[in-house]
Amino acid sequence: MDFKSLGRVLPVLDWGRDYDRHALTDDGMAAVIVTIMLIPQSLAYALLAGLPPEAGLYASIRPIILYAIFGTSRALAVGPVAVVSLMTAAAIGDVAEAGTAGYAVAALTLAGLSGLILLTMGILRLGFLANFLSHPVIAGFITASGILIAVSQLKHLLGVKASGGSLPDMLWSLLWHLADINSLTLLIGVASAAFLFWVRRGLKPLLVQRGFGPRAADMGAKAGPVIAVAFSTFLVWLFGLDQHGVAVVGAVPQGLPPLTLPSFSPGLIGALFVPALLISVIGFVESMSVAQTLAAKKRQRIDPDQELIGLGAANIGAALTGGYPVTGGFARSVVNYDAGAATPAAGAFTAVGLAIAAIFLTPLIYFLPIATLAATIIVAVLSLVDFAILRSSWAYSKADFAAVAGTILLTLGFGVETGVSAGVILSIGLHLYRSSRPHIAEVGLVPGTQHFRNILRHRVLTDPAIVTFRPDQSLYFANARFIEDHVFARVQAGGPVRDVVLMCSAINEIDLSAVETLEEITKRLKEMGIRLHLSEVKGPVMDRLCRAHFLRDLTGKVFLAQYDAFAALAPDTVAGDQAKPVMS
């Protein structure tokens, strides 16, 4: 294997060759900013997943380094994200009780399974499968997940015990426990949320007005969650609020991520396989959308299959170091990009910063109120909620709207796993529905040219004895009958039509079922005294047709161009068009 081939397998060898002091400076600055952002975020997302807070830090150290070695994006920041954390809680909540050793082992197993699935997909070069999830459906799922995540954190904001995996269950549980609200917890949570909302919109302009440069002001704004965490932790410690019912993080193990092993129990693996598959697909789609968006801004290339391998390695790393499933996060990746990250080394430097935090800073978060972490999650995930997709999909396509609305309602009504499963099914179903009813144009000759266009959209020349259809899609088992019905709905027995031409310029493939349907169309047209012809058949399609009996039984001819077919079958019409004077 030469160096170039090895660089495709290990992208670190590609960008590492040109690594210089300028890239080191940019990556180091980006790492400082992202580390500051990730410390509270990692703790919060571990809480969302139902795991101890240190699991969030552990899931943000080794996985980032592994992605830097195997991944192709130079700006993607890998680690715990809100949607995957919620899906993790939903998946392992069915097989273990939160807070137990079995729950943590199930999280490791879920990460390991997800990593193996992603690695397998990458090795088999199955990155294209993510294309079967339509963007509107993914947007609907993420919007619904954002709502579920925000509502799930209200119990920590109120200081009550509540449960539920769907929106109705969560709301009912919250209403049932309203009498148990802890006023101090509510005050801390609401104040933290209000401060974080203000930081997002008002802190940067304020710092700029006070004379800070744009980059320094942006760093200050990104440090908002750290300020909220530090101040609320200090207040709880100063006034002993943990003695008055305010829930705190408590003791967090101090040190680097431990070496761990997932469970190899067939029963647990069987129970978690489908959730792991869904997490892998959703995580990959989210990661790819972010990576490709950021790469396009710098004209860089993302390899989907290598991304699968990078994310797979990151998840296996999480399973072996006390973490849980990870993927590329939108918010932290954008921050990483805006902060000037030049290479994946920025992620490795971020991992070093988080490792230092895990060693030296964990004793400082003993009194960190859970309500502040909940406020951090709520503020972060509400940016995911985008109901504009409903309006835009309604205006553009009612079928897309139905898929988006269905995904949102099913996710909210029945939980994350049902929602994501519905999203996959709706995406595939929408594709099959559209491809099973392809657009079929009846075309005619544009006067004075050799071009053929839709008779309903253009003024064209036609002949009553000839009908030309142009299916604008490949022919396969799902749409073959639709095309057959379309042909015979137009051609009447005993009518003036004597020739039907199938213009194949938009047909890239014809499967065996469609060939059999074409043979049946030929036979029925022959009984009606009508010939079937083909035109503009592409080479690979013709190669396939030559292997079947269809061409031998074809009653008409195969024409190289549609104009040739029209000239041969309607010579008087073509001659009359050519005899007309050209208007200047």
Side-chain angles (χ1 to χ4, degrees):
M1 181 181 291
D2 58 20
F3 190 84
K4 186 176 181 180
S5 300
L6 190 61
R8 284 196 294 267
V9 178
L10 294 173
V12 63
L13 299 178
D14 182 26
W15 57 263
R17 284 181 299 170
D18 303 321
Y19 201 74
D20 54 22
R21 183 177 298 179
H22 180 72
L24 175 64
T25 302
D26 289 343
D27 288 342
M29 180 59 69
V32 170
I33 297 173
V34 176
T35 300
I36 292 172
M37 174 186 179
L38 273 185
I39 292 173
Q41 195 178 78
S42 298
L43 298 172
Y45 288 157
L47 172 72
L48 176 60
L51 292 162
E54 64 269 18
L57 288 175
Y58 297 162
S60 301
I61 298 177
R62 299 282 174 79
I64 297 179
I65 296 174
L66 288 168
Y67 178 82
I69 296 172
F70 294 100
T72 59
S73 173
R74 301 199 174 195
L76 191 70
V78 172
V81 299
V83 173
V84 170
S85 297
L86 179 65
M87 295 177 71
T88 297
I92 59 182
D94 294 333
V95 298
E97 184 178 350
T100 63
Y103 193 91
V105 171
L108 299 176
T109 306
L110 189 64
L113 280 173
S114 180
L116 289 174
I117 290 170
L118 290 166
L119 272 178
T120 303
M121 291 175 66
I123 293 171
L124 297 178
R125 307 189 69 80
L126 299 179
F128 70 92
L129 291 178
N131 297 331
F132 285 98
L133 279 173
S134 69
H135 177 265
V137 167
I138 288 294
F141 170 71
I142 291 177
T143 291
S145 296
I147 296 172
L148 284 180
I149 292 168
V151 173
S152 73
Q153 296 307 297
L154 290 179
K155 61 184 179 183
H156 299 300
L157 220 63
L158 301 175
V160 300
K161 292 183 178 180
S163 60
S166 64
L167 185 61
D169 290 342
M170 290 179 187
L171 292 176
W172 175 252
S173 184
L174 286 171
L175 288 173
W176 186 259
H177 291 90
L178 279 181
D180 303 327
I181 291 177
N182 183 287
S183 56
L184 290 173
T185 300
L186 178 62
L187 180 62
I188 292 171
V190 171
S192 297
F195 172 75
L196 292 171
F197 275 119
W198 174 78
V199 162
R200 286 201 161 212
R201 296 181 178 273
L203 183 55
K204 184 176 179 179
L206 178 63
L207 293 175
V208 171
Q209 290 176 3
R210 295 295 176 88
F212 287 85
R215 193 164 186 177
D218 189 60
M219 287 182 61
K222 297 294 189 298
V226 177
I227 297 171
V229 165
F231 187 69
S232 60
T233 301
F234 175 73
L235 286 180
V236 172
W237 169 78
L238 182 64
F239 296 106
L241 299 182
D242 57 314
Q243 303 298 320
H244 297 278
V246 175
V248 296
V249 168
V252 175
Q254 189 175 3
L256 293 173
L259 292 177
T260 56
L261 278 177
S263 171
F264 296 97
S265 165
L268 183 60
I269 291 174
L272 294 178
F273 181 79
V274 172
L277 178 62
L278 297 176
I279 287 174
S280 300
V281 173
I282 292 296
F284 175 63
V285 171
E286 180 179 354
S287 180
M288 276 299 297
S289 63
V290 177
Q292 289 178 331
T293 300
L294 298 180
K297 294 182 179 181
K298 290 188 176 181
R299 298 185 179 181
Q300 296 168 348
R301 180 179 174 273
I302 300 297
D303 182 349
D305 297 316
Q306 187 61 37
E307 283 297 291
L308 284 166
I309 293 175
L311 292 173
N315 276 279
I316 290 176
L320 298 177
T321 54
Y324 67 98
V326 297
T327 192
F330 178 78
R332 69 171 66 100
S333 296
V334 171
V335 171
N336 196 38
Y337 177 87
D338 290 341
T343 72
F349 296 151
T350 299
V352 173
L354 292 171
I356 293 172
I359 295 173
F360 298 107
L361 300 183
T362 50
L364 301 179
I365 63 174
Y366 181 94
F367 292 100
L368 171 58
I370 300 294
T372 301
L373 293 180
T376 301
I377 294 174
I378 291 172
V379 173
V381 301
L382 286 182
S383 62
L384 302 176
V385 178
D386 178 22
F387 286 114
I389 189 65
L390 289 172
R391 183 172 61 253
S392 60
S393 62
W394 175 264
Y396 186 78
S397 167
K398 301 301 185 289
D400 277 327
F401 172 81
V404 174
T407 301
I408 291 176
L409 292 175
L410 287 170
T411 303
L412 293 177
F414 298 96
V416 175
E417 288 189 14
T418 300
V420 69
S421 301
V424 173
I425 294 170
L426 287 171
S427 293
I428 296 174
L430 189 60
H431 168 73
L432 291 176
Y433 172 77
R434 285 173 171 164
S435 64
S436 68
R437 302 175 63 85
H439 177 259
I440 304 174
E442 184 177 337
V443 299
L445 177 65
V446 178
T449 73
Q450 294 186 8
H451 300 295
F452 288 78
R453 293 293 184 268
N454 194 326
I455 64 172
L456 301 178
R457 295 177 179 271
H458 301 271
R459 296 181 63 182
V460 293
L461 297 176
T462 60
D463 189 299
I466 301 170
V467 176
T468 300
F469 296 108
R470 188 196 67 214
D472 291 332
Q473 188 173 293
S474 294
L475 309 185
Y476 74 118
F477 66 91
N479 61 24
R481 180 57 62 86
F482 179 81
I483 291 172
E484 181 181 2
D485 293 341
H486 191 90
V487 169
F488 288 105
R490 171 66 176 82
V491 179
Q492 301 294 326
V497 178
R498 66 169 185 268
D499 292 285
V500 170
V501 183
L502 197 64
M503 185 177 174
C504 303
S505 55
I507 297 176
N508 296 318
E509 186 175 355
I510 300 178
D511 75 355
L512 185 58
S513 295
V515 170
E516 292 174 350
T517 300
L518 290 176
E519 291 173 347
E520 181 64 25
I521 292 174
T522 301
K523 180 180 177 182
R524 289 181 59 186
L525 288 177
K526 183 178 181 180
E527 293 171 352
M528 298 166 63
I530 301 173
R531 296 177 296 178
L532 177 67
H533 310 267
L534 305 181
S535 72
E536 302 191 8
V537 182
K538 295 182 178 179
V541 176
M542 180 60 77
D543 292 341
R544 288 283 186 89
L545 292 179
C546 288
R547 301 173 196 167
H549 296 287
F550 170 67
L551 292 179
R552 292 194 292 271
D553 298 332
L554 187 65
T555 53
K557 298 180 179 180
V558 179
F559 294 93
L560 182 64
Q562 175 58 31
Y563 185 79
D564 296 340
F566 200 69
L569 301 175
D572 294 339
T573 304
V574 172
D577 178 54
Q578 293 176 343
K580 292 179 182 177
V582 178
M583 302 298 292
S584 58

